[in-house]
Each structure stands twice: as C-alpha cells, then as structure tokens.
Amino acid sequence: MLKIGDKTFQSRLMLGTGKYPSFEIQKEAVEASGAEILTFAVRRMNIYEPSQPNFLEMLDLSKYTLLPNTAGAKTAEEAVRIAKLAKASGLCDMIKVEVIGDDKTLLPDPIETLKASEMLLEEGFIVLPYTSDDVVLAKKLEELGVHAIMPGASPIGSGQGIVNPLNLSFIIEQANIPVIVDAGIGSPADCALAMEMGADGILLNTAVSGAKDPVKMAKAMKLAIEAGRLGYEAGRIPKKRYAQASSPTEGMLTT
Ligand SMILES: CC(=O)[C@@H](O)[C@H](O)COP(=O)(O)O
C-alpha cells in the first residue's frame, strides 16, 4: 500500500493526463493503468472557459484522487496562486508543486520549490514537490514536512529514463517519506528499475500518452511497477564476479 498524508492507495502509479490523442483513448489508458491518482495541470481545467471540453468530465471522478500540478509556475508565489485556484474548485487538497527554473530543460527551480512547499504546507495542503535528484534538497523538503518527494528521473517528456541512478539511490536511502520518481520515464523497464531500487511509486505521462498504443503501454507500466515492487520486496541476489553453478555440486561423482 502506498500512503501519502492520510490517504492510502493500492496502485503505485500516478498517471498524467496530458497529450493523449483523444479523451476516449485517455480514459481507456487511465483504466488500463490501474492508477488511482491522476495528475493534471490546473491551467488545463478550463476554469476561464467552462464551455470548452474538460478532460475531467470524461472520467468517473469517484474512482480517482486528483493531484493537480502547478505547471506553468516560475515562482513560489505563482505556484501558491495556482494551488489555491485548484483547491477553490473543491476537487482536491493534494498538490504537486512544479516550479520550473529553466525553459529548455524544464528542470525545477530548487529555491522556489522549497519556498512554495513551505507556503503551501502553511496553507494546509498535502504537498508533493517535483524536485531535481538532489539528496540535500530532498532532505530539506522532508524537514519542512512535505508528504512525498518527487525527484525527476530525467527531463520532463524526454523519455531518457533514470539518468542518474546513484543520485536517486541516495534520495531513496535517506527518505522517510514516499519517494515518487517523476518525469522522464521512457519505458516499462525504467519503471521496474526505479521500483527495484526501492522507489515507492512512479509518476509518468508522456511514455503512455505518446506511445503508439497508449492503452497497451498503460498496462505495461502497471505490470512493470508491480514487478519491480515485488522484486524489491523479494530481495535481489548479490552480483558475483564469477560463475556459480545453479545446481548443487555435493555428492557428484568425480573421475
Ligand atoms: C504530468 C506531469 O506532471 C508531468 O509534468 C510529469 O512530470 C510527467 O513527466 P513525463 O511526461 O516525462 O512522464
């Protein structure tokens, strides 16, 4: 079970809802993924344009926990304003803090992320910050009281997978709150690796929405996360330098 704040979830996959070929395919992919937490950019909620189609209307919202994100924010103040807008809609009290510090890489601004997280905690939000894979920053966020940390595997939408497993392992080792690997996941193998390393969950979007068959890929991601988690719990064998026979050698006839 994944526990975030006072909520528990069976699924360890959080799915993004952007860039699907259609609302219908998105709905099918969400169902195939088994995800219970769906994330979306608050700016896509069509708050200002209620006449436009809203992707949330396609889903049975009683089945999902919504995790709005502050995509588009470049300062802590902007992130807080976006988060309050989401809360005012009555849809959620969880927020993914996303404060981008660089337009080319879309990497998060650590200082503004820390500031925004502090302000949102004071406002009573369940706070999940998207961070760089920096263990010191992760520790400072945990000390603030955030409810999970979401280090990036690699830049958003890049599909490069986990580019720095060492950094990620430092965060996983030291965290006492859930670590959700967020952004840059390209394939089911990336999910399995992160989960085998001990991550508590995965947040992904592009690898599913941009796949040739998003519904099939959503299912593949679900299975990979489950397999990776089972492998982590089962305990991997240590790697050895040389061969070791798989069948017992005691009692073998010698010439
Ligand atoms: C949907 C969302 O929150 C993204 O900003 C997230 O970081 C996912 O990244 P990928 O699209 O690389 O999976």
Side-chain angles (χ1 to χ4, degrees), residues 1-12 14 36-37 94 126-128 146-149 176-180 200-201 229:
M1 298 270 261
L2 173 63
K3 190 163 189 299
I4 297 178
D6 58 359
K7 295 184 166 63
T8 47
F9 304 93
Q10 304 287 338
S11 165
R12 291 175 181 272
M14 302 181 182
E36 294 166 274
I37 302 177
M94 270 173 46
I126 309 277
V127 177
L128 292 81
V146 301
H147 300 83
I149 332 169
N176 301 298
I177 51 176
V179 177
I180 313 295
D200 297 280
R229 179 68 191 183

PDB file of all heavy atoms in Angstrom, residues 1-12 14 36-37 94 126-128 146-149 176-180 200-201 229:
ATOM      1  N   MET A   1       0.846  -1.205   0.000  1.00  0.00           N
ATOM      2  CA  MET A   1       0.000   0.000   0.000  1.00  0.00           C
ATOM      3  C   MET A   1       0.877   1.249   0.000  1.00  0.00           C
ATOM      4  O   MET A   1       1.853   1.320   0.727  1.00  0.00           O
ATOM      5  CB  MET A   1      -0.860   0.036   1.260  1.00  0.00           C
ATOM      6  CG  MET A   1      -1.817  -1.109   1.384  1.00  0.00           C
ATOM      7  SD  MET A   1      -3.374  -0.714   0.617  1.00  0.00           S
ATOM      8  CE  MET A   1      -4.316  -0.254   2.048  1.00  0.00           C
ATOM      9  N   LEU A   2       0.506   2.206  -0.790  1.00  0.00           N
ATOM     10  CA  LEU A   2       1.213   3.491  -0.806  1.00  0.00           C
ATOM     11  C   LEU A   2       0.418   4.468   0.054  1.00  0.00           C
ATOM     12  O   LEU A   2      -0.781   4.647  -0.162  1.00  0.00           O
ATOM     13  CB  LEU A   2       1.285   3.989  -2.257  1.00  0.00           C
ATOM     14  CG  LEU A   2       1.849   5.394  -2.478  1.00  0.00           C
ATOM     15  CD1 LEU A   2       3.302   5.478  -2.038  1.00  0.00           C
ATOM     16  CD2 LEU A   2       1.729   5.772  -3.954  1.00  0.00           C
ATOM     17  N   LYS A   3       1.110   5.080   1.040  1.00  0.00           N
ATOM     18  CA  LYS A   3       0.410   6.010   1.930  1.00  0.00           C
ATOM     19  C   LYS A   3       0.973   7.407   1.715  1.00  0.00           C
ATOM     20  O   LYS A   3       2.183   7.622   1.828  1.00  0.00           O
ATOM     21  CB  LYS A   3       0.613   5.549   3.386  1.00  0.00           C
ATOM     22  CG  LYS A   3      -0.244   6.290   4.376  1.00  0.00           C
ATOM     23  CD  LYS A   3      -0.310   5.533   5.703  1.00  0.00           C
ATOM     24  CE  LYS A   3      -1.325   6.115   6.656  1.00  0.00           C
ATOM     25  NZ  LYS A   3      -1.157   7.455   7.086  1.00  0.00           N
ATOM     26  N   ILE A   4       0.094   8.326   1.393  1.00  0.00           N
ATOM     27  CA  ILE A   4       0.511   9.723   1.243  1.00  0.00           C
ATOM     28  C   ILE A   4      -0.423  10.579   2.087  1.00  0.00           C
ATOM     29  O   ILE A   4      -1.640  10.584   1.845  1.00  0.00           O
ATOM     30  CB  ILE A   4       0.492  10.171  -0.226  1.00  0.00           C
ATOM     31  CG1 ILE A   4       1.512   9.345  -1.022  1.00  0.00           C
ATOM     32  CG2 ILE A   4       0.825  11.669  -0.338  1.00  0.00           C
ATOM     33  CD1 ILE A   4       1.564   9.634  -2.481  1.00  0.00           C
ATOM     34  N   GLY A   5       0.162  11.278   3.061  1.00  0.00           N
ATOM     35  CA  GLY A   5      -0.691  12.005   4.006  1.00  0.00           C
ATOM     36  C   GLY A   5      -1.555  10.988   4.717  1.00  0.00           C
ATOM     37  O   GLY A   5      -1.069   9.957   5.179  1.00  0.00           O
ATOM     38  N   ASP A   6      -2.860  11.226   4.759  1.00  0.00           N
ATOM     39  CA  ASP A   6      -3.737  10.269   5.435  1.00  0.00           C
ATOM     40  C   ASP A   6      -4.450   9.348   4.439  1.00  0.00           C
ATOM     41  O   ASP A   6      -5.369   8.633   4.791  1.00  0.00           O
ATOM     42  CB  ASP A   6      -4.745  11.011   6.327  1.00  0.00           C
ATOM     43  CG  ASP A   6      -5.572  12.001   5.515  1.00  0.00           C
ATOM     44  OD1 ASP A   6      -5.336  12.116   4.283  1.00  0.00           O
ATOM     45  OD2 ASP A   6      -6.454  12.662   6.102  1.00  0.00           O
ATOM     46  N   LYS A   7      -3.999   9.358   3.174  1.00  0.00           N
ATOM     47  CA  LYS A   7      -4.662   8.536   2.150  1.00  0.00           C
ATOM     48  C   LYS A   7      -3.804   7.320   1.798  1.00  0.00           C
ATOM     49  O   LYS A   7      -2.576   7.422   1.739  1.00  0.00           O
ATOM     50  CB  LYS A   7      -4.892   9.350   0.879  1.00  0.00           C
ATOM     51  CG  LYS A   7      -5.852  10.523   1.037  1.00  0.00           C
ATOM     52  CD  LYS A   7      -6.065  11.166  -0.328  1.00  0.00           C
ATOM     53  CE  LYS A   7      -7.227  12.099  -0.385  1.00  0.00           C
ATOM     54  NZ  LYS A   7      -7.167  13.273   0.456  1.00  0.00           N
ATOM     55  N   THR A   8      -4.472   6.194   1.551  1.00  0.00           N
ATOM     56  CA  THR A   8      -3.726   5.005   1.113  1.00  0.00           C
ATOM     57  C   THR A   8      -4.202   4.576  -0.270  1.00  0.00           C
ATOM     58  O   THR A   8      -5.376   4.734  -0.614  1.00  0.00           O
ATOM     59  CB  THR A   8      -3.899   3.828   2.089  1.00  0.00           C
ATOM     60  OG1 THR A   8      -5.283   3.697   2.389  1.00  0.00           O
ATOM     61  CG2 THR A   8      -3.120   4.014   3.354  1.00  0.00           C
ATOM     62  N   PHE A   9      -3.263   3.993  -1.027  1.00  0.00           N
ATOM     63  CA  PHE A   9      -3.552   3.613  -2.410  1.00  0.00           C
ATOM     64  C   PHE A   9      -3.004   2.216  -2.676  1.00  0.00           C
ATOM     65  O   PHE A   9      -1.940   1.856  -2.178  1.00  0.00           O
ATOM     66  CB  PHE A   9      -2.899   4.616  -3.371  1.00  0.00           C
ATOM     67  CG  PHE A   9      -3.317   6.048  -3.115  1.00  0.00           C
ATOM     68  CD1 PHE A   9      -2.561   6.865  -2.286  1.00  0.00           C
ATOM     69  CD2 PHE A   9      -4.483   6.544  -3.657  1.00  0.00           C
ATOM     70  CE1 PHE A   9      -2.954   8.175  -2.021  1.00  0.00           C
ATOM     71  CE2 PHE A   9      -4.885   7.855  -3.400  1.00  0.00           C
ATOM     72  CZ  PHE A   9      -4.119   8.664  -2.582  1.00  0.00           C
ATOM     73  N   GLN A  10      -3.736   1.453  -3.489  1.00  0.00           N
ATOM     74  CA  GLN A  10      -3.250   0.122  -3.900  1.00  0.00           C
ATOM     75  C   GLN A  10      -2.224   0.266  -5.018  1.00  0.00           C
ATOM     76  O   GLN A  10      -1.276  -0.494  -5.112  1.00  0.00           O
ATOM     77  CB  GLN A  10      -4.417  -0.738  -4.439  1.00  0.00           C
ATOM     78  CG  GLN A  10      -5.587  -0.922  -3.499  1.00  0.00           C
ATOM     79  CD  GLN A  10      -5.245  -1.860  -2.360  1.00  0.00           C
ATOM     80  OE1 GLN A  10      -4.333  -2.665  -2.479  1.00  0.00           O
ATOM     81  NE2 GLN A  10      -5.957  -1.737  -1.260  1.00  0.00           N
ATOM     82  N   SER A  11      -2.494   1.211  -5.910  1.00  0.00           N
ATOM     83  CA  SER A  11      -1.622   1.374  -7.080  1.00  0.00           C
ATOM     84  C   SER A  11      -0.473   2.325  -6.748  1.00  0.00           C
ATOM     85  O   SER A  11      -0.661   3.324  -6.060  1.00  0.00           O
ATOM     86  CB  SER A  11      -2.436   1.948  -8.239  1.00  0.00           C
ATOM     87  OG  SER A  11      -1.556   2.416  -9.242  1.00  0.00           O
ATOM     88  N   ARG A  12       0.693   2.010  -7.278  1.00  0.00           N
ATOM     89  CA  ARG A  12       1.864   2.863  -7.063  1.00  0.00           C
ATOM     90  C   ARG A  12       2.168   3.691  -8.314  1.00  0.00           C
ATOM     91  O   ARG A  12       3.251   4.236  -8.456  1.00  0.00           O
ATOM     92  CB  ARG A  12       3.072   2.009  -6.671  1.00  0.00           C
ATOM     93  CG  ARG A  12       2.916   1.405  -5.293  1.00  0.00           C
ATOM     94  CD  ARG A  12       4.047   0.465  -4.931  1.00  0.00           C
ATOM     95  NE  ARG A  12       3.804  -0.082  -3.602  1.00  0.00           N
ATOM     96  CZ  ARG A  12       4.197   0.480  -2.479  1.00  0.00           C
ATOM     97  NH1 ARG A  12       4.896   1.592  -2.513  1.00  0.00           N
ATOM     98  NH2 ARG A  12       3.926  -0.073  -1.308  1.00  0.00           N
ATOM     99  N   MET A  14       1.123   6.909 -10.625  1.00  0.00           N
ATOM    100  CA  MET A  14       0.352   8.149 -10.767  1.00  0.00           C
ATOM    101  C   MET A  14       0.451   8.528 -12.234  1.00  0.00           C
ATOM    102  O   MET A  14       1.551   8.598 -12.782  1.00  0.00           O
ATOM    103  CB  MET A  14       0.951   9.258  -9.918  1.00  0.00           C
ATOM    104  CG  MET A  14       1.025   8.896  -8.459  1.00  0.00           C
ATOM    105  SD  MET A  14       1.727  10.270  -7.519  1.00  0.00           S
ATOM    106  CE  MET A  14       1.749   9.531  -5.897  1.00  0.00           C
ATOM    107  N   GLU A  36      -4.737   5.175  -9.402  1.00  0.00           N
ATOM    108  CA  GLU A  36      -5.800   5.765  -8.569  1.00  0.00           C
ATOM    109  C   GLU A  36      -5.589   7.266  -8.411  1.00  0.00           C
ATOM    110  O   GLU A  36      -6.474   7.970  -7.954  1.00  0.00           O
ATOM    111  CB  GLU A  36      -5.795   5.110  -7.188  1.00  0.00           C
ATOM    112  CG  GLU A  36      -6.175   3.641  -7.214  1.00  0.00           C
ATOM    113  CD  GLU A  36      -5.811   2.983  -5.900  1.00  0.00           C
ATOM    114  OE1 GLU A  36      -4.653   2.549  -5.761  1.00  0.00           O
ATOM    115  OE2 GLU A  36      -6.674   2.904  -5.015  1.00  0.00           O
ATOM    116  N   ILE A  37      -4.372   7.709  -8.747  1.00  0.00           N
ATOM    117  CA  ILE A  37      -4.068   9.143  -8.636  1.00  0.00           C
ATOM    118  C   ILE A  37      -3.799   9.685 -10.041  1.00  0.00           C
ATOM    119  O   ILE A  37      -2.956   9.148 -10.768  1.00  0.00           O
ATOM    120  CB  ILE A  37      -2.826   9.385  -7.753  1.00  0.00           C
ATOM    121  CG1 ILE A  37      -3.043   8.795  -6.360  1.00  0.00           C
ATOM    122  CG2 ILE A  37      -2.494  10.871  -7.672  1.00  0.00           C
ATOM    123  CD1 ILE A  37      -1.846   8.916  -5.436  1.00  0.00           C
ATOM    124  N   MET A  94      -4.644  17.816  -2.382  1.00  0.00           N
ATOM    125  CA  MET A  94      -3.256  17.459  -2.661  1.00  0.00           C
ATOM    126  C   MET A  94      -2.749  18.343  -3.795  1.00  0.00           C
ATOM    127  O   MET A  94      -3.512  18.668  -4.694  1.00  0.00           O
ATOM    128  CB  MET A  94      -3.186  15.999  -3.135  1.00  0.00           C
ATOM    129  CG  MET A  94      -2.994  15.065  -1.993  1.00  0.00           C
ATOM    130  SD  MET A  94      -3.069  13.330  -2.303  1.00  0.00           S
ATOM    131  CE  MET A  94      -2.240  12.799  -3.613  1.00  0.00           C
ATOM    132  N   ILE A 126      -1.737  18.998   1.173  1.00  0.00           N
ATOM    133  CA  ILE A 126      -0.873  17.809   1.127  1.00  0.00           C
ATOM    134  C   ILE A 126       0.098  18.114  -0.015  1.00  0.00           C
ATOM    135  O   ILE A 126      -0.335  18.232  -1.169  1.00  0.00           O
ATOM    136  CB  ILE A 126      -1.681  16.533   0.780  1.00  0.00           C
ATOM    137  CG1 ILE A 126      -2.903  16.390   1.679  1.00  0.00           C
ATOM    138  CG2 ILE A 126      -0.802  15.300   0.776  1.00  0.00           C
ATOM    139  CD1 ILE A 126      -2.662  15.775   2.992  1.00  0.00           C
ATOM    140  N   VAL A 127       1.378  18.232   0.303  1.00  0.00           N
ATOM    141  CA  VAL A 127       2.326  18.798  -0.654  1.00  0.00           C
ATOM    142  C   VAL A 127       3.284  17.730  -1.207  1.00  0.00           C
ATOM    143  O   VAL A 127       3.973  17.042  -0.448  1.00  0.00           O
ATOM    144  CB  VAL A 127       3.133  19.934   0.016  1.00  0.00           C
ATOM    145  CG1 VAL A 127       4.178  20.497  -0.945  1.00  0.00           C
ATOM    146  CG2 VAL A 127       2.192  21.041   0.484  1.00  0.00           C
ATOM    147  N   LEU A 128       3.306  17.612  -2.530  1.00  0.00           N
ATOM    148  CA  LEU A 128       4.206  16.681  -3.214  1.00  0.00           C
ATOM    149  C   LEU A 128       5.049  17.485  -4.202  1.00  0.00           C
ATOM    150  O   LEU A 128       4.582  17.787  -5.303  1.00  0.00           O
ATOM    151  CB  LEU A 128       3.412  15.606  -3.978  1.00  0.00           C
ATOM    152  CG  LEU A 128       2.613  14.587  -3.169  1.00  0.00           C
ATOM    153  CD1 LEU A 128       1.288  15.152  -2.711  1.00  0.00           C
ATOM    154  CD2 LEU A 128       2.385  13.336  -3.982  1.00  0.00           C
ATOM    155  N   VAL A 146       6.952  18.052   3.859  1.00  0.00           N
ATOM    156  CA  VAL A 146       6.194  17.633   2.664  1.00  0.00           C
ATOM    157  C   VAL A 146       5.789  16.167   2.814  1.00  0.00           C
ATOM    158  O   VAL A 146       6.381  15.420   3.593  1.00  0.00           O
ATOM    159  CB  VAL A 146       6.998  17.851   1.352  1.00  0.00           C
ATOM    160  CG1 VAL A 146       7.368  19.307   1.170  1.00  0.00           C
ATOM    161  CG2 VAL A 146       8.215  16.955   1.282  1.00  0.00           C
ATOM    162  N   HIS A 147       4.786  15.755   2.043  1.00  0.00           N
ATOM    163  CA  HIS A 147       4.189  14.430   2.249  1.00  0.00           C
ATOM    164  C   HIS A 147       4.797  13.358   1.349  1.00  0.00           C
ATOM    165  O   HIS A 147       4.564  12.162   1.558  1.00  0.00           O
ATOM    166  CB  HIS A 147       2.676  14.528   2.059  1.00  0.00           C
ATOM    167  CG  HIS A 147       2.073  15.490   3.046  1.00  0.00           C
ATOM    168  ND1 HIS A 147       2.048  16.846   2.837  1.00  0.00           N
ATOM    169  CD2 HIS A 147       1.521  15.277   4.269  1.00  0.00           C
ATOM    170  CE1 HIS A 147       1.487  17.437   3.881  1.00  0.00           C
ATOM    171  NE2 HIS A 147       1.162  16.515   4.764  1.00  0.00           N
ATOM    172  N   ALA A 148       5.520  13.769   0.314  1.00  0.00           N
ATOM    173  CA  ALA A 148       6.258  12.853  -0.560  1.00  0.00           C
ATOM    174  C   ALA A 148       7.247  13.712  -1.336  1.00  0.00           C
ATOM    175  O   ALA A 148       7.044  14.917  -1.457  1.00  0.00           O
ATOM    176  CB  ALA A 148       5.319  12.140  -1.531  1.00  0.00           C
ATOM    177  N   ILE A 149       8.306  13.057  -1.848  1.00  0.00           N
ATOM    178  CA  ILE A 149       9.245  13.807  -2.700  1.00  0.00           C
ATOM    179  C   ILE A 149       9.185  13.178  -4.082  1.00  0.00           C
ATOM    180  O   ILE A 149       9.097  11.955  -4.206  1.00  0.00           O
ATOM    181  CB  ILE A 149      10.719  13.697  -2.249  1.00  0.00           C
ATOM    182  CG1 ILE A 149      10.812  13.447  -0.752  1.00  0.00           C
ATOM    183  CG2 ILE A 149      11.527  14.925  -2.654  1.00  0.00           C
ATOM    184  CD1 ILE A 149      12.197  13.075  -0.338  1.00  0.00           C
ATOM    185  N   ASN A 176      12.369   9.325   4.592  1.00  0.00           N
ATOM    186  CA  ASN A 176      11.408   8.674   5.497  1.00  0.00           C
ATOM    187  C   ASN A 176       9.985   8.945   5.052  1.00  0.00           C
ATOM    188  O   ASN A 176       9.042   8.697   5.796  1.00  0.00           O
ATOM    189  CB  ASN A 176      11.608   9.193   6.924  1.00  0.00           C
ATOM    190  CG  ASN A 176      13.015   8.920   7.398  1.00  0.00           C
ATOM    191  OD1 ASN A 176      13.404   7.770   7.497  1.00  0.00           O
ATOM    192  ND2 ASN A 176      13.778   9.966   7.648  1.00  0.00           N
ATOM    193  N   ILE A 177       9.849   9.525   3.884  1.00  0.00           N
ATOM    194  CA  ILE A 177       8.528   9.776   3.289  1.00  0.00           C
ATOM    195  C   ILE A 177       8.553   9.129   1.903  1.00  0.00           C
ATOM    196  O   ILE A 177       9.641   8.821   1.397  1.00  0.00           O
ATOM    197  CB  ILE A 177       8.231  11.302   3.182  1.00  0.00           C
ATOM    198  CG1 ILE A 177       9.391  12.025   2.498  1.00  0.00           C
ATOM    199  CG2 ILE A 177       7.930  11.906   4.533  1.00  0.00           C
ATOM    200  CD1 ILE A 177       9.126  13.510   2.261  1.00  0.00           C
ATOM    201  N   PRO A 178       7.391   8.903   1.287  1.00  0.00           N
ATOM    202  CA  PRO A 178       7.407   8.249  -0.020  1.00  0.00           C
ATOM    203  C   PRO A 178       8.236   9.014  -1.063  1.00  0.00           C
ATOM    204  O   PRO A 178       8.207  10.236  -1.112  1.00  0.00           O
ATOM    205  CB  PRO A 178       5.929   8.218  -0.412  1.00  0.00           C
ATOM    206  CG  PRO A 178       5.186   8.298   0.875  1.00  0.00           C
ATOM    207  CD  PRO A 178       6.030   9.137   1.783  1.00  0.00           C
ATOM    208  N   VAL A 179       8.963   8.239  -1.864  1.00  0.00           N
ATOM    209  CA  VAL A 179       9.720   8.806  -2.989  1.00  0.00           C
ATOM    210  C   VAL A 179       9.023   8.345  -4.274  1.00  0.00           C
ATOM    211  O   VAL A 179       8.936   7.148  -4.546  1.00  0.00           O
ATOM    212  CB  VAL A 179      11.188   8.311  -2.984  1.00  0.00           C
ATOM    213  CG1 VAL A 179      11.933   8.857  -4.210  1.00  0.00           C
ATOM    214  CG2 VAL A 179      11.890   8.712  -1.700  1.00  0.00           C
ATOM    215  N   ILE A 180       8.515   9.309  -5.007  1.00  0.00           N
ATOM    216  CA  ILE A 180       7.814   9.000  -6.258  1.00  0.00           C
ATOM    217  C   ILE A 180       8.686   9.508  -7.408  1.00  0.00           C
ATOM    218  O   ILE A 180       8.933  10.710  -7.509  1.00  0.00           O
ATOM    219  CB  ILE A 180       6.441   9.735  -6.324  1.00  0.00           C
ATOM    220  CG1 ILE A 180       5.636   9.577  -5.021  1.00  0.00           C
ATOM    221  CG2 ILE A 180       5.642   9.307  -7.553  1.00  0.00           C
ATOM    222  CD1 ILE A 180       5.196   8.193  -4.703  1.00  0.00           C
ATOM    223  N   ASP A 200       8.926   4.355  -4.056  1.00  0.00           N
ATOM    224  CA  ASP A 200       7.583   3.990  -3.573  1.00  0.00           C
ATOM    225  C   ASP A 200       6.533   4.092  -4.662  1.00  0.00           C
ATOM    226  O   ASP A 200       5.438   3.550  -4.514  1.00  0.00           O
ATOM    227  CB  ASP A 200       7.201   4.905  -2.402  1.00  0.00           C
ATOM    228  CG  ASP A 200       8.152   4.704  -1.234  1.00  0.00           C
ATOM    229  OD1 ASP A 200       7.968   3.731  -0.505  1.00  0.00           O
ATOM    230  OD2 ASP A 200       9.104   5.482  -1.103  1.00  0.00           O
ATOM    231  N   GLY A 201       6.852   4.807  -5.721  1.00  0.00           N
ATOM    232  CA  GLY A 201       5.881   4.947  -6.801  1.00  0.00           C
ATOM    233  C   GLY A 201       6.485   5.693  -7.973  1.00  0.00           C
ATOM    234  O   GLY A 201       7.634   6.157  -7.917  1.00  0.00           O
ATOM    235  N   ARG A 229       8.261  -3.687  -7.822  1.00  0.00           N
ATOM    236  CA  ARG A 229       7.992  -3.637  -6.372  1.00  0.00           C
ATOM    237  C   ARG A 229       8.159  -5.033  -5.745  1.00  0.00           C
ATOM    238  O   ARG A 229       8.773  -5.192  -4.688  1.00  0.00           O
ATOM    239  CB  ARG A 229       6.574  -3.100  -6.132  1.00  0.00           C
ATOM    240  CG  ARG A 229       6.185  -3.021  -4.688  1.00  0.00           C
ATOM    241  CD  ARG A 229       6.989  -1.972  -3.944  1.00  0.00           C
ATOM    242  NE  ARG A 229       6.807  -2.048  -2.514  1.00  0.00           N
ATOM    243  CZ  ARG A 229       7.354  -1.208  -1.645  1.00  0.00           C
ATOM    244  NH1 ARG A 229       8.112  -0.217  -2.046  1.00  0.00           N
ATOM    245  NH2 ARG A 229       7.152  -1.353  -0.365  1.00  0.00           N
TER     246      ARG A 229
END
